[in-house]
Each structure stands twice: as structure tokens, then as C-alpha cells.
């Protein structure tokens, strides 16, 4: 008896499991047979194709993207999109873990700097054939800068096949507090002619004030986070972190040291920025928002937040170093598809909808989290004077004319570049001169770059 | 006879089925990754493509890797919090064991940080440590001390993390000590009192030896936990702190593996860390055996 009952339990369990499994299988069979029946026309509309889309972003951005995906589903009734959102700081870890674990979403964000590694190891779907032959996409109407970031020909990034589309381009412009200028009676900066470094210091010094006379400054000329603002000074002085072949670290160039020294001097010599101790990103960001800072970098993703500031702000070109020209970087995040996706057509369709369609772009731009990817739409957008900042044109000029990629983009990993910022504190504190620093740091960075190049060679085999 | 052996067999199957889930869990989520990462440590794996065996070269590189040495030093340095936590927890436990009014309330107060999410706690302390408007510096201001910007200064970032870790862990340790104290028989103290021992002597010769097993447990688990410290610095100093002053070994492993496509190298570090924890724990168990012998 007992024995029988035991086997009965086991048997029913097996049955249950097989019924469940058969249920899933049965669905597939049904849909594929309906496919076969209607393969004459465009009639596989019966079949629901499931896509997974993984991305990250702030709350405003999340809402905007979720809305666009909903619209996409409405336009494509046979496609269902499952959204996976992750906190920004966990995104890279999660993405890389899902690659290792072979569970990559169909469509996902990725950093342009990771392009080489992902292409060499066959993670990303080659989008070229889907995009170049697509009548819905006019590549000439999308920022060349943005698309080129996701091109790779096997040796050099920036040319060749397309492995992703820019989610957006993020020109990192310089903003200024217009209200503060007016209150101090200082003539507003020219939006087409950058300050020289000397002029910039002079204006900033006039705006660095101890208002209540307690011996503590409560209004500052500027606040720059070294990680994101030093580039503007180095590049406009004609120097760079890496040479044209992307194999040599060039920070030991005297022009580089000069720019870095100027950056440190803003605090130590000219006293126009909060002390380094106080200059964590959050603090300068808070100060700017409280109206205690004259100049502060502004990215398009900040527009929705800055819209409600109690003062008026606008954009101007970064102060120019010895080249006489402004410089800054343009960020970007790509949207790519998994090389293993079961529905490449639909995956690419979703990518296009998010990056290159009028409907998608319209919703995202209205949410004020980015500038339009479509050039004609961007022109209209910049001309609209009803939204802040007035000189939105500056954003477009950066993308079209003088914005650059961050130096880590072209190399297999950015470890060498990150080390520069890990060790920089003594320079900012004025304890080490820029000239000494670049000399001692160059070999360390070169060693890591050599390692990255070696890694890249191996990954191609 | 036949019937009985069937029953026995059946129970054996059921028993096996019951332990199967945790056993599978152990095999799939612990043993397999462990062996995989040991294998990975001998390869140049980037976490995406193929793995090529490179012998001991990862381990050789570790010898000369300045950042690894820094991370190792930081990790060991932050273990200074362990003895501090033990002393504080024991003092608190002794206090609460005396039956002061409101004991339960105090227990709850000290235990709340333990059950709070580490991420939330880190964000809260990050605010408290803020140089401009942080609670800590505002408090110091009351005494005319102008505090540093804790997380942005390479000399204060480690102590700041230690203070937070002690605050977070002290409730758990205290509870363990409290349980241990309550199991010490009153009769020992009565005997000691009759012999004329003062309260310090009673503590030193009765309480401390009696709670020694708990102390041993706390030290072992804290060192293992301390070697794997990660979340705090990941949230509070996402770039490893000023001049990498707050990066732990696990933080560096994570950066290498997920930031720089060096899964093989990261695996080598993980293996070294694992070996370190194993050896230290082994030594502690040996020492503990020896001491038990002495006490008896």
C-alpha cells in the first residue's frame, strides 16, 4: 500500500511537470504552424514577439522612456516589450553579468567605450544592414558624431559597421547665472566669443563674494569637478591625454601641465572655486542650484531640473586656452541589440523607434531629458525661446563643431585614464605641481594602456 | 521484514529529496563558481570571450600592483573597527545586563542599525559626513571644531568608514554578548563575592572567560566579513576615495572584473583573498583549541 501511494505521488508530480512543460511547448507549436499557414502575406501578426529592453536613468528619464515604449507597442501590436530598469551605478555590473550568464536582454544601453570589447566577443548585433537599407531612417538627419561613436571596423572605433544607435548625444556645455551677472552689473558674456583664461578669472573673481562679511565666502565664481571639466581646459590648450594612434599617453606635454596647473590655480591662486575639500560634485551642484555660483557646467539631462531654478541661466562657450578655441566633451549612451536575439527585425525596430523616429524623439525631448537626435528637429527645438536656456544653440554647436569623445572611448578599457583622476588630489590641493604630477603619472598610465592594448589584441583572435 | 526495508528506503529517498535543494544550491552557487574562479585565475579571461591559460602571470602581476597593495592595506586597516566594536558591545551588554530600566528600548535602539539595509545606511552616513551641511560637522561646530570633509580627505575617509561599521555592527555583537552573559550562573559571582573579589576581578576571572566562545565566534565572523567589505565604499566613495584611500580588495576586484574586462585578474585576487581568509580562520581555530586547553 505504502509503496503504491509513494509511487503515485511521484507519478503525479512527473505528470504535472510534463503538463506544464507541454503547455509552453504547445504554444510554440501552435504559433509556428500558424506562421507556416500564412507565410504568403505579411500575416504573422498573430504571433506575439517578446522583447526585453534594459536601460537606466533618472526618474524623469525612466518615465519618458517607458512612455515611448508604450507608444511603440501600440504601433506594433505583435511586439511586447518587457522593460528592465536598473539603478545607474549598478547598470554596468548587471549588463556584464548577463553577458557572462548568457541571458542578455534583446535591446539594451551600453557605453560607447565598451564597444570594441563587445564587438570582438560577439555580443552585439551588427545593425548596418538593418539601418542602411531602411527607408524609415535618414542617417543624414542624425548627428554624425553620435552614429560614428558606435561604428567599428575591427581596428579603429569611429568607422565601419554600426553596432548601436545613440540614445542621445550629451554635450557638456558651460552655464552661467544670468541673474547674478545682472545684479553685479557685469556685462553678459558673448555667446559666440569665448573668454580668454585671464578674462574668465577676472570676471569670476568679481563674482566671488563674502556677502554677509563673516569671513566666509558665500558666492563663488565657479565650481568644477575635475573628472568632468578638466578636459575643456586641456583640449583648448592644445593638449590631450592620448595621441592620435591611441597608443601613447601624452599627459607629459608641457601644454597639458599648463592647463592642469591653471585648473588647480583657480582654487589655490585665484580663489574663485570652493576649496577642493568642499568641491565634491554634490556640493558645487547644490551651490549652483541655490544661486551661489556664477559658472557651472550644464548637460542637457539637467534641463528639466534647472527649469524651475529661481534665477535665469544661459549657456556660453568654455574659456579658451592657447588655441583660442573652446573645447568640451559630448557624452553618449548607445542602444544596441544582442547578437543572439530571436527577433532581430523587431529589436532593431525598437532601437530605431527610440533613437531615430519622430514619434519617439518628440516624447523624449518634451520630457526635457535630452536634445533631439534628429538634426531638423533640433533646429526647431533650439529656436524655441519659451524654454530655458535661451542659447540652446550652444548645445548643438558643441555636437556639430567642437565636442569630443572622452579619451577612454577609443581604448579597450579606460583604466589608464581613470588612474589619472584617482591620484590627482594632491595637485588640486596645491601640494604637488602639475609639472611634477604629469611626469610621475605618465609611466603608470602608459603601463595600463599597454596592458589594455595587449588585451585588445588577444580579444581579436 | 520486506515491508520494513521498503519503509526505510522510502524515508531515505524523502530525506534525500529534502536535503537536495540546499545541496544543489551549494553545488551550483558556491562550489561551482569557486572552482570556476580558481580556474579563471590562471587565464586571461575578459569576462566575455574565450579563456586562455596564462599560468601564474596574474599572481605575478599582483605582487607589483600598487593599487592592489593599497586596497589590501585599506582592508586590513579598516579591521581596526573589530576590537573597537567588541569592547563597545561588551560594555553595552554589561550595562544592559544589570537590568537598568528601559533595557528593551535600548536593545531595540542598538539593534535597529543591524537590520537596516547597508545601502540605506551608507547613504545616510554619507549625508552625515558631508563637509558643509553634514550632521557630524554641525555637531563638531558646537564645540568650535571645524570638521573636515570626511569622505573627500584621504586621512579621514577610513576612520569615517570604521565609525560607521562599528555603529552598524555593535547591536548584533551586543546581543550575542547579552545572551552569553545571561547564561553565566549567578553562583560563580556569589562565590567570588564571598572570596572578597571586587567587580573588576569578578569580570576578569569569571565573565571574560565565560563569554570567550562568543568572543571567538565574533572575531572569526567579523574578520571574514571585514575582508569582504564592499557596499559601503561602493556607495560612499564610488571611485575608490581620494587617492584610492577607501578602496577595499573586493572593491578593486569588482572594478577589474566589471569595469575593465579583466575577469581573470580579478579571479586571481579573489583566490588570494579567499586563501587569506581561510588561513586566518584556521589560525584562529588552532589558537582557540590551545586556549581552551589552558583554561580547563
Amino acid at each position: 500500500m505504502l509503496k503504491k501511494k509513494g509511487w503515485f505521488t511521484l507519478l503525479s508530480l512527473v505528470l504535472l511537470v510534463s503538463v506544464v512543460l507541454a503547455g509552453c511547448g504547445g504554444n510554440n507549436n501552435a504559433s509556428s504552424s500558424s506562421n507556416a499557414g500564412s507565410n504568403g502575406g505579411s500575416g504573422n501578426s498573430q504571433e506575439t514577439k517578446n522583447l526585453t529592453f534594459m536601460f537606466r536613468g533618472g526618474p524623469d528619464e525612466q518615465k519618458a522612456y517607458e512612455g515611448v515604449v508604450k507608444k511603440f507597442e501600440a504601433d506594433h501590436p505583435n511586439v511586447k516589450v518587457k522593460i528592465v530598469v536598473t539603478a545607474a551605478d549598478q547598470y554596468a555590473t548587471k549588463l556584464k553579468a548577463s553577458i557572462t550568464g548568457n541571458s542578455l536582454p534583446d535591446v539594451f544601453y551600453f557605453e560607447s567605450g565598451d564597444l570594441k570589447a563587445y564587438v570582438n566577443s560577439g555580443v552585439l548585433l551588427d545593425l548596418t544592414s538593418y539601418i542602411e537599407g531602411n527607408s524609415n531612417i535618414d542617417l543624414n538627419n542624425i548627428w554624425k558624431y553620435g552614429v560614428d561613436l558606435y561604428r567599428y571596423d575591427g581596428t579603429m572605433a569611429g568607422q565601419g559597421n554600426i553596432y548601436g544607435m545613440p540614445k542621445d548625444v550629451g554635450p557638456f556645455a558651460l552655464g552661467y547665472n544670468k541673474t547674478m551677472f545682472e545684479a553685479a552689473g557685469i556685462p553678459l558674456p558673448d555667446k559666440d566669443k569665448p573668454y580668454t583664461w585671464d578674462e574668465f578669472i577676472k570676471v569670476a573673481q568679481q563674482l566671488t563674494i563674502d556677502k554677509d562679511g563673516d569671513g566666509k565666502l558665500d558666492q563663488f565664481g565657479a565650481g568644477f569637478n575635475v573628472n568632468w571639466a578638466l578636459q575643456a581646459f586641456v583640449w583648448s590648450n592644445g593638449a590631450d591625454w592620448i595621441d592620435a594612434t591611441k597608443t601613447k599617453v601624452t599627459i607629459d606635454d608641457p601644454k597639458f601641465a599648463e592647463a592642469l596647473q591653471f585648473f588647480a590655480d583657480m582654487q589655490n591662486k585665484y580663489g574663485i572655486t570652493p576649496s577642493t575639500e568642499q568641491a565634491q560634485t554634490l556640493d558645487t551642484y547644490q551651490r549652483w542650484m541655490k544661486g551661489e555660483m556664477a559658472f557651472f557646467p550644464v548637460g542637457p539631462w539637467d534641463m528639466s531640473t534647472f527649469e524651475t531654478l529661481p534665477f535665469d541661466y544661459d549657456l556660453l562657450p568654455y574659456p579658451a586656452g592657447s588655441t583660442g578655441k573652446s573645447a568640451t566633451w559630448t557624452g553618449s549612451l548607445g542602444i544596441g541589440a544582442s547578437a543572439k536575439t530571436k527577433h532581430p527585425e523587431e529589436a532593431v525596430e525598437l532601437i530605431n523607434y527610440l533613437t531615430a523616429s519622430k514619434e519617439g524623439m518628440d516624447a523624449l525631448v518634451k520630457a526635457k531629458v535630452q536634445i533631439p537626435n534628429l538634426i531638423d528637429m533640433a533646429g526647431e527645438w533650439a529656436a524655441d525661446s519659451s524654454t530655458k536656456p535661451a542659447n540652446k544653440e550652444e548645445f548643438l554647436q558643441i555636437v556639430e563643431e567642437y565636442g569630443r569623445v572622452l579619451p577612454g572611448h577609443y581604448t579597450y578599457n579606460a583604466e589608464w585614464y581613470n588612474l589619472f583622476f584617482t591620484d590627482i588630489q594632491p595637485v588640486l590641493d596645491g601640494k604637488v605641481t602639475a609639472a611634477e604630477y604629469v611626469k610621475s603619472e605618465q609611466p603608470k598610465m602608459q603601463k595600463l594602456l599597454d596592458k589594455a592594448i595587449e588585451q585588445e589584441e588577444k580579444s581579436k583572435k | 521484514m520486506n515491508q520494513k526495508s521498503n519503509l526505510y528506503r522510502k524515508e531515505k529517498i524523502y530525506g534525500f529529496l529534502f536535503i537536495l535543494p540546499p545541496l544543489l544550491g551549494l553545488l551550483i552557487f558556491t562550489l561551482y563558481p569557486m572552482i570556476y574562479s580558481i580556474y579563471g585565475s590562471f587565464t586571461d579571461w575578459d569576462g566575455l570571450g574565450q579563456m586562455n591559460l596564462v599560468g601564474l602571470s596574474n599572481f605575478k602581476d599582483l605582487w607589483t600592483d600598487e593599487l592592489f597593495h593599497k586596497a589590501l592595506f585599506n582592508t586590513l586597516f579598516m579591521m581596526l573597527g573589530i576590537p573597537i566594536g567588541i569592547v563597545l558591545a561588551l560594555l553595552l551588554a554589561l550595562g544592559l545586563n544589570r537590568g537598568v530600566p528601559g533595557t528593551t528600548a535600548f536593545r531595540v535602539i542598538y539593534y535597529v542599525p543591524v537590520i537596516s539595509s547597508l545601502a540605506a545606511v551608507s547613504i545616510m552616513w554619507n549625508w552625515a559626513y558631508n563637509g558643509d551641511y553634514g550632521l557630524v560637522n554641525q555637531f563638531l561646530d558646537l564645540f568650535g571644531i571645524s570638521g573636515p570633509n570626511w569622505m573627500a580627505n584621504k586621512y579621514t575617509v577610513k576612520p569615517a568608514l570604521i565609525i560607521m561599521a562599528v555603529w552598524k555592527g555593535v547591536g548584533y555583537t551586543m546581543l550575542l554578548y547579552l545572551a552569553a552573559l545571561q547564561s553565566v550562573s549567578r553562583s560563580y559571582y556569589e562565590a567570588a563575592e564571598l572570596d572578597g573579589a571586587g567587580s573588576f576581578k569578578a569580570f576578569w576571572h569569571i565573565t571574560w572567560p565565560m563569554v570567550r566562545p562568543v568572543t571567538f565566534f565574533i572575531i572569526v565572523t567579523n574578520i571574514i566579513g571585514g575582508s569582504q567589505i564592499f557596499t559601503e565604499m561602493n556607495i560612499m566613495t564610488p571611485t575608490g576615495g581620494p587617492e584610492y584611500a577607501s578602496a577595499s580588495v573586493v572593491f578593486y576586484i569588482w572594478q577589474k572584473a566589471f569595469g575593465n574586462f579583466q575577469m581573470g585578474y580579478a579571479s586571481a585576487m579573489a583566490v588570494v583573498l579567499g586563501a587569506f581568509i581561510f588561513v586566518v580562520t584556521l589560525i584562529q581555530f588552532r589558537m582557540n583549541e590551545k586556549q581552551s586547553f589552558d583554561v580547563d
Side-chain angles (χ1 to χ4, degrees):
Chain A
M1 266 305 269
L2 268 170
K3 184 180 163 192
K4 251 184 192 163
K5 213 176 173 187
W7 277 113
F8 182 72
T9 319
L10 211 76
L11 202 74
S12 46
L13 241 163
V14 169
L15 262 173
L16 193 78
V17 170
S18 54
V19 163
V20 170
L21 287 178
C24 305
N27 255 343
N28 279 340
N29 284 341
S31 57
S32 60
S33 67
S34 82
N35 248 351
S38 65
N39 64 2
S42 57
N44 44 4
S45 57
Q46 266 29 312
E47 186 186 4
T48 310
K49 292 179 175 167
N50 291 305
L51 292 178
T52 316
F53 170 44
M54 185 160 98
F55 74 106
R56 64 173 166 88
D60 289 347
E61 204 171 334
Q62 279 182 25
K63 244 212 253 133
Y65 271 83
E66 276 161 17
V68 173
V69 167
K70 275 223 179 80
K71 255 180 126 182
F72 172 80
E73 285 180 324
D75 284 358
H76 301 77
N78 63 330
V79 183
K80 272 228 117 32
V81 182
K82 194 181 147 215
I83 291 179
V84 182
V85 193
T86 333
D89 54 341
Q90 288 157 26
Y91 186 82
T93 311
K94 191 160 177 176
L95 180 62
K96 278 165 195 166
S98 67
I99 293 170
T100 319
N102 238 335
S103 61
L104 199 61
D106 300 281
V107 178
F108 55 90
Y109 280 13
F110 68 96
E111 305 275 348
S112 67
D114 293 342
L115 178 74
K116 284 180 167 183
Y118 289 165
V119 172
N120 286 352
S121 50
V123 170
L124 286 169
L125 181 71
D126 184 348
L127 307 180
T128 321
S129 59
Y130 297 96
I131 287 176
E132 285 184 343
N134 193 326
S135 55
N136 289 329
I137 302 172
D138 179 9
L139 273 184
N140 292 325
N141 194 27
I142 302 172
W143 305 112
K144 183 172 157 27
Y145 173 95
V147 179
D148 283 355
L149 279 178
Y150 305 99
R151 288 183 187 269
Y152 179 47
D153 65 0
T155 45
M156 204 58 160
Q159 52 203 46
N161 288 354
I162 304 173
Y163 290 92
M165 288 289 277
K167 161 189 115 56
D168 65 350
V169 282
F172 203 51
L174 182 62
Y176 69 98
N177 184 328
K178 211 168 169 177
T179 312
M180 191 187 283
F181 269 71
E182 278 157 0
I186 297 172
L188 296 181
D190 188 333
K191 71 181 175 63
D192 296 315
K193 189 174 164 289
Y195 285 123
T196 65
W197 284 1
D198 288 341
E199 287 167 354
F200 178 72
I201 292 294
K202 251 179 227 146
V203 173
Q205 274 174 335
Q206 281 175 300
L207 290 164
T208 304
I209 308 168
D210 172 14
K211 275 181 169 169
D212 50 11
D214 66 350
K216 276 186 182 172
L217 293 172
D218 20 45
Q219 183 177 303
F220 294 91
F224 292 121
N225 180 298
V226 68
N227 288 277
W228 307 112
L230 181 60
Q231 295 84 356
F233 295 92
V234 168
W235 289 338
S236 82
N237 207 35
D240 203 344
W241 274 260
I242 195 167
D243 73 343
T245 64
K246 314 299 175 200
T247 55
K248 195 171 174 305
V249 177
T250 54
I251 61 164
D252 47 356
D253 175 354
K255 284 207 170 333
F256 190 106
E258 190 187 8
L260 176 57
Q261 193 60 54
F262 176 76
F263 190 92
D265 284 348
M266 281 196 273
Q267 150 63 22
N268 300 315
K269 197 166 147 195
Y270 308 116
I272 59 165
T273 65
S275 79
T276 1
E277 290 257 300
Q278 302 164 330
Q280 283 173 298
T281 335
L282 183 71
D283 293 318
T284 47
Y285 194 80
Q286 298 297 359
R287 283 212 171 83
W288 159 259
M289 299 229 287
K290 275 164 49 187
E292 294 174 2
M293 197 161 273
F295 297 100
F296 193 72
V298 176
W301 50 86
D302 278 327
M303 285 186 296
S304 67
T305 312
F306 291 176
E307 183 79 7
T308 55
L309 289 181
F311 57 85
D312 194 12
Y313 79 99
D314 209 349
L315 305 180
L316 77 162
Y318 277 90
S322 60
T323 62
K325 284 183 185 142
S326 277
T328 185
W329 54 271
T330 302
S332 176
L333 207 54
I335 307 185
S338 161
K340 289 180 185 145
T341 178
K342 282 186 195 134
H343 312 294
E345 298 274 348
E346 286 73 16
V348 177
E349 188 79 3
L350 176 61
I351 296 176
N352 291 338
Y353 199 87
L354 290 165
T355 59
S357 80
K358 224 173 161 56
E359 299 92 328
M361 258 317 122
D362 221 29
L364 294 172
V365 171
K366 274 201 188 111
K368 296 198 183 83
V369 291
Q370 62 181 64
I371 70 168
N373 267 352
L374 304 173
I375 295 172
D376 55 359
M377 194 188 278
E380 279 169 44
W381 167 82
D384 175 10
S385 56
S386 69
T387 53
K388 283 193 216 174
N391 182 23
K392 285 191 277 293
E393 186 64 35
E394 192 67 37
F395 278 138
L396 306 190
Q397 281 171 4
I398 293 174
V399 179
E400 262 179 323
E401 289 159 28
Y402 67 92
R404 301 196 202 180
V405 196
L406 288 171
H409 164 80
Y410 289 106
T411 53
Y412 195 75
N413 66 44
E415 201 178 15
W416 65 274
Y417 174 68
N418 292 335
L419 186 74
F420 179 87
F421 295 101
T422 301
D423 294 338
I424 196 110
Q425 199 61 36
V427 184
L428 305 180
D429 292 340
K431 289 175 191 147
V432 172
T433 67
E436 285 165 1
Y437 180 69
V438 294
K439 217 172 126 196
S440 69
E441 200 68 6
Q442 196 275 343
K444 291 189 209 167
M445 288 166 66
Q446 186 64 51
K447 209 172 127 193
L448 290 178
L449 179 60
D450 290 343
K451 217 170 155 185
I453 293 169
E454 190 189 316
Q455 239 183 305
E456 182 179 348
E457 286 310 313
K458 274 187 185 162
S459 79
K460 280 184 196 164
K461 282 170 198 160
Chain B
M1 182 71 185
N2 195 15
Q3 194 87 340
K4 203 175 176 185
S5 92
N6 267 339
L7 181 68
Y8 174 73
R9 240 182 56 199
K10 204 177 73 120
E11 284 199 340
K12 211 166 104 178
I13 291 173
Y14 276 139
F16 187 69
L17 280 176
F18 271 114
I19 60 162
L20 197 60
L23 202 67
L24 275 178
L26 182 77
L27 284 175
I28 298 170
F29 297 113
T30 308
L31 210 62
Y32 173 69
M34 227 163 94
I35 293 167
Y36 202 79
S37 85
I38 291 175
Y39 174 71
S41 70
F42 297 108
T43 70
D44 62 357
W45 192 34
D46 59 4
L48 308 167
Q50 62 196 39
M51 304 163 94
N52 306 308
L53 283 169
V54 290
L56 290 170
S57 89
N58 285 333
F59 294 94
K60 257 187 251 158
D61 288 350
L62 276 181
W63 271 110
T64 53
D65 186 341
E66 269 178 53
L67 289 184
F68 176 65
H69 299 162
K70 235 178 203 177
L72 200 62
F73 170 77
N74 292 340
T75 309
L76 293 175
F77 188 94
M78 280 187 264
M79 285 191 194
L80 281 177
I82 297 173
I84 299 171
I86 286 178
V87 170
L88 274 178
L90 187 55
L91 287 176
L92 283 174
L94 284 170
L96 290 183
N97 197 34
R98 298 224 159 151
V100 276
T103 305
T104 322
F106 278 114
R107 274 190 218 174
V108 171
I109 290 171
Y110 293 124
Y111 202 69
V112 164
V114 182
I115 51 164
S116 310
S117 138
L118 189 51
V121 163
S122 303
I123 291 169
M124 187 191 86
W125 277 87
N126 221 5
W127 287 339
Y129 281 136
N130 185 292
D132 287 333
Y133 48 81
L135 211 61
V136 174
N137 281 359
Q138 281 184 18
F139 177 73
L140 290 176
D141 255 356
L142 295 180
F143 304 96
I145 305 167
S146 93
N149 191 348
W150 295 85
M151 303 318 286
N153 179 314
K154 68 169 170 173
Y155 298 108
T156 56
V157 67
K158 276 192 281 274
L161 284 168
I162 290 174
I163 291 170
M164 178 190 134
V166 168
W167 172 87
K168 167 100 175 121
V170 81
Y172 178 67
T173 313
M174 176 207 66
L175 217 63
L176 288 176
Y177 270 131
L178 207 54
L181 287 177
Q182 281 165 356
S183 68
V184 179
S185 167
R186 290 283 332 145
S187 58
Y188 292 128
Y189 294 105
E190 281 157 15
E193 213 176 320
L194 284 178
D195 285 345
S199 56
F200 179 74
K201 271 198 165 163
F203 170 80
W204 191 246
H205 292 288
I206 300 168
T207 316
W208 183 240
M210 291 301 281
V211 300
R212 221 178 48 84
V214 171
T215 310
F216 171 70
F217 171 79
I218 291 165
I219 292 176
V220 170
T221 51
N222 275 357
I223 287 183
I224 293 174
S227 312
Q228 299 170 328
I229 189 166
F230 170 71
T231 312
E232 297 93 315
M233 44 272 300
N234 186 28
I235 291 173
M236 298 170 79
T237 56
T239 55
E243 292 170 67
Y244 228 55
S246 63
S248 68
V249 175
V250 177
F251 182 85
Y252 191 43
I253 291 175
W254 171 77
Q255 263 198 339
K256 281 281 184 188
F258 293 107
N260 299 315
F261 300 112
Q262 293 171 20
M263 201 61 96
Y265 191 71
S267 297
M269 271 190 276
V271 168
V272 169
L273 183 67
F276 167 80
I277 294 175
F278 181 76
V279 168
V280 169
T281 309
L282 201 71
I283 292 171
Q284 285 174 298
F285 269 92
R286 282 282 151 78
M287 273 166 57
N288 188 50
E289 272 167 25
K290 235 191 207 161
Q291 279 186 9
S292 326
F293 188 69
D294 287 344
V295 168
D296 290 341

